Amino acid sequence: MGHAHLQFGEVHRNFSHRIDGLTFGDRVGGMHYALDGEHRIAPIADYSFQYFIQIVPTLYLTDTVNVQTYQYTVQEQIRAVDHKSGSHGTAGILIKYEFSPIAAIVEKKQKNLTIFLARLLGIIGGIISTSGLINLVITEAFDWLCCFKKTKSVENEAEDVK
């Protein structure tokens, strides 16, 4: 586990900051980098911004590129440092990082057009067969209700005749 920090003594500093980009290894298109474009504004001086970074070795495989790079996850803690109120620590930007012993493999493969068409036709066929089944159930229920009412009305007419 490693860490890095800057300390300026008892001078009050504003540690508002912006992170344009942070990568470990080669930047790969399509991968998400958690801290890219992040900005934090300290409402008052003497704020502590702590970033805990877990770095994961990653093998990124596509049809055209194979790259050994790194992904990372971030947890952050932001708090005011005020020794009078009992919030002790060092104001600043602290970055603590740790390399994961487990590697990840990200594999992106593009599907063939024929596979896409077969899946699309399967979905369309499923919709047609399901709608046919629903239509059958509704028709049978309607016919049963109509026949039941007709049978009752015929029986009532027969009783009226007697």
Side-chain angles (χ1 to χ4, degrees), residues 47-161:
Y47 248 66
S48 174
F49 296 91
Q50 295 179 346
Y51 296 98
F52 302 95
I53 300 175
Q54 180 77 32
I55 302 168
V56 180
T58 304
L59 182 59
Y60 189 81
L61 306 171
T62 66
D63 293 335
T64 58
V65 175
N66 294 340
V67 178
Q68 174 68 44
T69 188
Y70 298 89
Q71 295 183 87
Y72 61 91
T73 60
V74 178
Q75 293 180 344
E76 58 186 302
Q77 180 183 14
I78 302 170
R79 65 182 180 86
V81 177
D82 184 11
H83 299 291
K84 294 176 186 171
S85 67
S87 177
H88 300 290
T90 303
I93 301 170
L94 292 92
I95 300 172
K96 296 184 179 187
Y97 58 91
E98 179 177 71
F99 284 88
S100 173
I102 299 173
I105 298 174
V106 177
E107 187 173 3
K108 290 190 175 184
K109 289 188 175 181
Q110 194 163 3
K111 301 286 186 212
N112 193 341
L113 181 62
T114 55
I115 293 172
F116 170 75
L117 291 175
R119 289 182 179 178
L120 180 64
L121 291 174
I123 291 170
I124 292 170
I127 290 171
I128 291 171
S129 65
T130 303
S131 64
L133 181 63
I134 291 171
N135 183 36
L136 177 67
V137 169
I138 290 172
T139 304
E140 289 297 321
F142 184 73
D143 288 347
W144 182 78
L145 285 174
C146 288
C147 290
F148 183 71
K149 286 182 181 178
K150 286 180 183 177
T151 305
K152 284 284 189 182
S153 64
V154 169
E155 288 174 1
N156 288 341
E157 288 176 9
E159 286 180 10
D160 289 340
V161 173

